[in-house]
Amino acid sequence: MHELGVVFHIMDSLEKVAVENEVTGISRVVLELGEVSTVIESYLHNCWQWAAKKRELFSEAELVVETIPARTYCEGCGQTYATVEHGKICPCCHSPDTWLLQGNEFNIKEIEVY
Amino acid sequence: MKEVRILEIKQSVFADNDRQAQLLRQELREKKLFLLNLMSSPGSGKTTTLMRTIEALRDTLKIGVMEADIDSDVDARTISQSGVRVIQLHTGGMCHLDAEMTRQGLEGLDPAELDLVILENVGNLVCPAEFDTGATKNAMILSVPEGHDKPLKYPLMFSVCDVVLVNKIDVLPYFDFDLEKCREYVHRRNPRAKIIPICAKTGEGMKAWTDWLLQEVRGEGYGEKT
């Protein structure tokens, strides 16, 4: 829902990294995106393309998004299961007392620079 | 051929904003200025609640308001009728405010003379929850027509809130809104959230809310300027 805003945040952060590391250009940016973060990958790519044209440092940067699968833990039976497939109710014991273990991440993993 | 190398970053996209927000919160603490971030979906009654809150507290606290909207100054015009200092922030199409925008807005308010600044965030239950504004406390309004299942559908919003105002309780008889279920769902995601049922229009419950706010402001020594 706020893909353009987060693209600006990513670029702002990486511009700082570029200055600190005396980087002249970025050829690749790798992000880690959880399956149930609030960010839609295809929108992220669209926003990235639009914003990258406006910032020299990113004009040739390829965006790579690695997906982190969402897993939920059930307090009721101690099992973990795939969140996207089963949602908040545990498929093993049908308990609603469940917690997201992973899958809401949104990280900048690494960049390829020259 | 260009020589390329890999830089490992390994930081959350929100890390930079989180740092700036933490810094702003600390600065506000030193200046004894309390910043309340008020969030909700569009149409939940944020502006009406804000007007009633200002009426109740303006003789006790020096209040300023920051209105954040994608466009227009409709809310800022309404709030300015209450006589408090108000500034309109335009996010330029963005669905949320971040810590840097909040800092810029505060500078425009001349905050040295103020005890309490209320930030009326963009009407949205998703994005404002992701971006820490640097506020001292976060409040959100859930109105009865939206339904009691919202804490399940927007868990992040409810998990970052210190207080949840359940607004428009005057229409409870006409909706299938279950206040007890709502409490249960909020506390499942956020056990420390305070829940206060109110009706900004009739004034019901408003004293409990303004008492809570005043206690928060005074309790930590905010607003006691020398």
Side-chain angles (χ1 to χ4, degrees):
Chain A
M1 204 163 171
H2 48 280
E3 284 73 8
L4 187 57
V6 296
V7 163
F8 287 147
H9 273 274
I10 293 167
M11 289 183 171
D12 289 346
S13 303
L14 290 180
E15 278 175 354
K16 284 181 201 154
V17 171
V19 171
E20 285 162 12
N21 292 276
E22 297 176 0
V23 164
T24 52
I26 298 179
S27 49
R28 197 150 67 116
V29 175
V30 183
L31 305 179
E32 290 175 326
L33 183 63
E35 267 185 315
V36 295
S37 72
T38 55
V39 173
I40 313 276
E41 189 180 333
S42 61
Y43 294 173
L44 195 61
H45 280 284
N46 287 343
C47 293
W48 180 270
Q49 280 172 6
W50 182 82
K53 284 180 196 148
K54 298 183 185 309
R55 300 207 193 188
E56 204 179 338
L57 186 65
F58 301 95
S59 58
E60 292 181 19
E62 176 199 6
L63 180 68
V64 177
V65 179
E66 294 178 357
T67 304
I68 298 177
R71 301 287 303 171
T72 295
Y73 174 77
C74 174
E75 292 271 356
C77 66
Q79 298 278 341
T80 66
Y81 62 89
T83 310
V84 174
E85 200 179 332
H86 300 290
K88 289 196 172 68
I89 306 292
C90 175
C92 308
C93 72
H94 308 291
S95 165
D97 288 330
T98 59
W99 301 98
L100 190 68
L101 280 178
Q102 61 167 59
N104 61 353
E105 300 81 358
F106 191 19
N107 303 322
I108 308 173
K109 186 184 178 191
E110 60 186 29
I111 56 175
E112 190 182 88
V113 300
Y114 51 86
Chain B
M1 191 177 154
K2 289 173 192 163
E3 189 189 330
V4 296
R5 59 195 163 112
I6 304 287
L7 291 182
E8 274 197 13
I9 311 289
K10 286 199 171 156
Q11 70 166 38
S12 164
V13 168
F14 306 109
D16 219 37
N17 184 63
D18 288 347
R19 251 195 313 275
Q20 287 183 33
Q22 206 52 44
L23 193 67
L24 179 59
R25 198 161 16 251
Q26 185 60 36
E27 285 174 25
L28 293 175
R29 179 87 190 84
E30 283 157 17
K31 290 176 184 164
K32 297 183 175 178
L33 174 62
F34 192 100
L35 176 63
L36 180 79
N37 176 24
L38 184 60
M39 300 176 282
S40 82
S41 49
S44 64
K46 272 199 302 299
T47 309
T48 308
T49 305
L50 196 45
M51 288 291 279
R52 299 291 165 271
T53 306
I54 292 167
E55 283 164 17
L57 295 178
R58 70 179 158 200
D59 293 336
T60 318
L61 299 171
K62 292 194 198 80
I63 305 173
V65 172
M66 294 195 287
E67 284 291 337
D69 269 308
I70 289 173
D71 205 345
S72 99
D73 58 359
V74 177
D75 290 344
R77 282 174 189 276
T78 309
I79 297 295
S80 68
Q81 291 166 8
S82 69
V84 299
R85 207 178 292 165
V86 56
I87 191 168
Q88 176 75 53
L89 308 175
H90 280 158
T91 60
M94 301 262 263
C95 46
H96 61 272
L97 271 194
D98 60 22
E100 185 54 37
M101 288 188 258
T102 305
R103 178 187 290 279
Q104 287 172 12
L106 278 172
E107 283 165 9
L109 265 184
D110 192 10
E113 296 170 18
L114 299 174
D115 303 315
L116 167 68
V117 170
I118 303 174
L119 165 63
E120 185 176 339
N121 213 316
V122 181
N124 179 332
L125 290 186
V126 182
C127 317
E130 297 259 31
F131 286 89
D132 188 345
T133 57
T136 318
K137 293 282 168 171
N138 290 315
M140 75 91 56
I141 303 175
L142 172 67
S143 64
V144 165
E146 293 171 70
H148 59 252
D149 58 351
K150 288 297 166 291
L152 298 181
K153 296 175 88 166
Y154 302 93
L156 186 63
M157 172 56 75
F158 288 87
S159 65
V160 301
C161 275
D162 299 287
V163 60
V164 177
L165 301 175
V166 179
N167 193 22
K168 307 188 188 181
I169 53 168
D170 57 328
V171 297
L172 268 172
Y174 307 102
F175 287 86
D176 297 328
F177 188 98
D178 187 328
L179 198 54
E180 281 317 303
K181 276 221 167 72
C182 181
R183 277 182 210 280
E184 183 197 327
Y185 294 160
V186 171
H187 287 146
R188 194 186 288 177
R189 295 299 166 207
N190 182 358
R192 63 180 178 83
K194 170 101 177 153
I195 300 171
I196 307 175
I198 62 163
C199 178
K201 198 174 160 192
T202 64
E204 192 179 349
M206 285 299 287
K207 190 167 183 311
W209 153 238
T210 53
D211 283 352
W212 178 88
L213 183 55
L214 191 59
Q215 195 185 338
E216 288 292 320
V217 176
R218 290 291 192 229
E220 294 282 326
Y222 286 89
E224 289 170 6
K225 306 268 162 78
T226 47

